[in-house]
Structure formats: structure tokens, C-alpha cells
Amino acid sequence: MRLTCSNLSVSFGRRNCPIPALRNVSFTVGEGEFVAVIGPSGCGKTTLLRCLAGLERVHSGKVSYECGGGDRPPRILMVFQEHGVLPWLTVLENAALGLEAQGVPKRAREERARRLLARLGLGGRERAYPHQLSLGMKQRVAVARSFLCAPDVLLMDEPFAALDAQTRLKLQHELLALWQERRCNVVFVTHDVDEAILLSDRIIVLSAAPGTVTGEYSVGLPRPREAGMMLSQAFTSLKSALYAQLGFEGSQTCRTAEIMKG
């Protein structure tokens, strides 16, 4: 699966007074590639994901998907900042919801959901309801549901932003393990530069609104990646370059890295 975004522009508001949100955004996501998108608040990152998912009207330009194996439409799933689990369904029912929509028989879908939930640390919680779970657990259910559907493209809108640092690192690790096994295309929006570097193959930087691509960076760090990589010279150098691209002083980033090393 190859995703191509070509000169994408989106505006909101009335026709005689449009407010541009994205302007001439172009990039590609190659087969099995994990791409992060960063940029200042309000630059159109979520709007971009909605356009990729076909949920937003495009003013000009286009989004296209090339499926190597035939003409079938791509299977595109989106994970939002809010976990999106349904409060009236159990953990197991929420995780298996996409499989149910695909027509997978109940026994088969529940077996598959149980295996993945156990792997994500939710074994024994299958019959719990969302109000009985922590925020991190709810996000694990959302991630499980997405991967059980075997998407061609997974769009993730800051899914770990509200989590504490320890839970966030654990979920990042679990996400990478699942992705490396299944190798769907991922477009991952985040405000966190460290998260973008730890997770992705390539990072796209958007300007302030209206968002346009101001830079693309190949990460190049070996996989598997661990939190200890954040202290490496390669990591801190890329982090400094990204902060400079975002408009921050590179020296500030370097000082932060030195404090971390100390």
C-alpha cells in the first residue's frame, strides 16, 4: 500500500471568507512505513488525518492510495486522541467490534481479541466495562481493535498525549511491536518530538496555519528502539534539527539534552 498526498489544500468558513487550514501539502508514505507528523498547535495536523481518512472535504489537491494486490479499496482506520471505546460494551466486545463489522463469527473474533488483549496486558479484564479501566487501558483497547482489523493504513491522532510518561513509553513500545509484525502504513500525529523520533521511519514537519510541509527528516535509528536511545548523539542531533525547523533555538534543545545526560 502506498499513500500519496498531492498539493492538498483545505479551507473552512464561508465561501466568501475562507479560512485556510492546509496549503499545498504533499508527501508520500511508502509500503509499511511509519511516518510521524509534527507541527505547532492549530497547524492542521488533525485536519490532515481526516483528509487522509476521507472524513474531510478537500478544497484542492488529492489523496490517493495504490494497492499492489488489486483494485480493492484500502482499509483505513483512525485512532483519535480520545480512546473511542463504547461505554456500553465490554473490553472484549470493544476490541472485537471491527471484526464483527467484517462478518467474522463470534467465536473466532473473540478468540483473536482475547489473544491480543492478553498480549497488551488486559488478560482477565475482558468482561470489564470502560468506566472500570484507566485511561491507558482504554487506549490499549483502541489499539487492539485497530490492529485486529488488519488495516492497510492506520491514522493515529496523538493517541498517547493524555497519558503519564511511564504508561506512554509502555504503549509506544507495544505499538511498535505490533506494527513491526504487521507492517501496515502508519501516519502518526504528535506534538512530542521525542515520540516522533522513537516511533517513526520519517518525520514530516508542518508550519503554523495554514499548515504546509516545511521539512522531511529520515530518522535512521536502528530498530528495535528503546528509551535509552534518547541519550544518544544521533537522537539529540535529530531532535535539535527538528526543534530548529519548528522555530525553536537549537541551543535550547542541546542544553536540554545535556541536562538529561547529567
Side-chain angles (χ1 to χ4, degrees):
M1 173 66 62
R2 180 182 177 87
L3 183 164
T4 302
C5 185
S6 304
N7 297 314
L8 187 71
S9 294
V10 177
S11 296
F12 298 114
R14 298 178 180 177
R15 185 175 299 178
N16 60 348
C17 189
I19 300 172
L22 296 170
R23 180 176 293 164
N24 296 328
V25 173
S26 296
F27 63 91
T28 61
V29 179
E31 184 173 356
E33 190 176 19
F34 197 124
V35 173
V37 179
I38 62 174
S41 294
C43 73
K45 299 186 294 296
T46 296
T47 298
L48 174 60
L49 284 192
R50 288 178 59 83
C51 290
L52 299 181
L55 301 176
E56 199 69 66
R57 180 178 176 273
V58 174
H59 180 260
S60 63
K62 68 176 182 177
V63 175
S64 60
Y65 294 92
E66 300 174 27
C67 300
D71 297 329
R72 69 171 179 83
R75 183 174 294 155
I76 304 169
L77 294 177
M78 189 164 177
V79 179
F80 299 91
Q81 292 182 36
E82 297 294 331
H83 44 78
V85 295
L86 301 179
W88 58 87
L89 298 181
T90 66
V91 165
L92 184 63
E93 290 167 340
N94 266 292
L97 189 61
L99 294 177
E100 182 179 2
Q102 293 174 15
V104 177
K106 182 177 181 179
R107 183 173 180 179
R109 68 176 181 258
E110 288 190 349
E111 286 179 356
R112 289 166 61 181
R114 284 180 188 278
R115 286 197 298 270
L116 188 51
L117 288 170
R119 178 174 171 179
L120 292 174
L122 291 171
R125 306 301 295 268
E126 295 88 351
R127 296 301 175 188
Y129 285 87
H131 73 273
Q132 299 171 307
L133 305 178
S134 68
L135 181 58
M137 289 178 177
K138 293 175 187 177
Q139 287 296 62
R140 292 182 193 192
V141 175
V143 169
R145 181 174 60 201
S146 298
F147 276 97
L148 282 167
C149 291
D152 299 305
V153 180
L154 184 57
L155 308 174
M156 309 191 79
D157 188 8
E158 299 193 76
F160 309 143
L163 305 179
D164 63 86
Q166 184 176 357
T167 303
R168 186 171 187 160
L169 281 172
K170 184 171 180 60
L171 281 176
Q172 288 168 351
H173 179 78
E174 292 167 347
L175 171 63
L176 280 181
L178 287 171
W179 168 75
Q180 287 180 296
E181 289 177 9
R182 309 187 185 199
R183 286 288 179 172
C184 60
N185 298 53
V186 177
V187 181
F188 189 101
V189 160
T190 180
H191 278 95
D192 189 323
V193 172
D194 288 347
E195 182 172 63
I197 298 172
L198 278 174
L199 294 179
S200 64
D201 298 313
R202 188 159 46 93
I203 300 170
I204 295 170
V205 183
L206 296 184
S207 69
T212 189
V213 176
T214 60
E216 293 191 27
Y217 294 79
S218 177
V219 175
L221 294 172
R223 296 186 186 274
R225 296 178 187 164
E226 302 294 340
M229 281 188 172
M230 295 168 67
L231 301 178
S232 70
Q233 182 61 48
F235 190 102
T236 55
S237 294
L238 178 55
K239 182 175 178 178
S240 181
L242 289 167
Y243 270 107
Q245 186 74 58
L246 289 166
F248 295 93
E249 292 294 330
S251 58
Q252 292 179 348
T253 308
C254 292
R255 284 199 295 272
T256 302
E258 290 302 321
I259 292 171
M260 290 173 61
K261 289 179 182 178

